Amino acid sequence: MSEHLARIRWQRDGAVFTDQRYSRAHRWEFDGGAQVPAAASPDVVAPALTDVSAVDPEEAFVAAVASCHMLWFLSLAAAAGVCVDSYDDQAVGTLGKVDGRLAIREIVLRPRLTFAGEAPTAERIAALHEAAHERCFIANSVRCPIRVQSGD
């Protein structure tokens, strides 16, 4: 078992706060030293109350799912002797109502792969994706469906 830590920092910076017009911008800090500007999505609060250039929690959620899947895919491909040259995923999460509450309804992974030498068959790639999905800790932790839409 392991623990994974994140420090989330926000400051009021003199805003009234109780009028709901405070900044939603904050920072995520990780144990390796990485710091990420974060904020509420401009789809959730007025753009003036957020930092549109920062990562929002919904984007981070989709990125975590896609990253975990990719890391497992690469590991399984390497173990199977399949040499991947590049993996480029433009994953998308859809926010909507689920049981009357807003939630990420679905995540679609759209990896585009290039291989060294001859590419494996579509069936072999699909099998690697399925095995990666089964092993992904993040995918195993969420309720929404996750689909892989392969372009290979």
Side-chain angles (χ1 to χ4, degrees):
M1 182 147 8
S2 60
E3 291 184 332
H4 303 272
L5 307 174
R7 183 175 194 174
I8 313 304
R9 290 181 177 229
W10 173 87
Q11 296 243 242
R12 183 169 58 91
D13 289 333
V16 173
F17 187 74
T18 54
D19 65 359
Q20 294 290 325
R21 296 182 61 185
Y22 58 90
S23 172
R24 273 47 170 202
H26 55 284
R27 290 194 84 60
W28 296 341
E29 298 175 2
F30 300 95
D31 59 2
Q35 294 188 19
V36 177
S41 169
D43 293 332
V44 176
V45 300
L49 301 176
T50 192
D51 176 355
V52 296
S53 69
V55 176
D56 64 61
E58 297 84 359
E59 292 170 325
F61 179 69
V62 172
V65 169
S67 181
C68 184
H69 181 91
M70 179 201 68
L71 292 168
W72 274 109
F73 182 92
L74 294 175
S75 175
L76 292 166
V82 175
C83 186
V84 179
D85 276 342
S86 68
Y87 185 112
D88 182 358
D89 188 354
Q90 294 209 21
V92 62
T94 304
L95 183 70
K97 293 272 183 152
V98 176
D99 297 330
R101 299 185 297 180
L102 281 177
I104 298 293
R105 296 172 47 107
E106 176 185 54
I107 295 173
V108 178
L109 306 179
R110 300 180 297 190
R112 301 297 178 256
L113 304 160
T114 58
F115 300 93
E118 188 175 336
T121 65
E123 292 80 17
R124 187 157 190 207
I125 293 170
L128 287 167
H129 278 301
E130 181 60 32
H133 179 71
E134 290 297 317
R135 288 168 175 80
C136 174
F137 314 137
I138 306 300
N140 291 334
S141 302
V142 302
R143 295 186 301 177
C144 70
I146 300 167
R147 291 188 301 113
V148 176
Q149 194 176 63
S150 185
D152 304 312

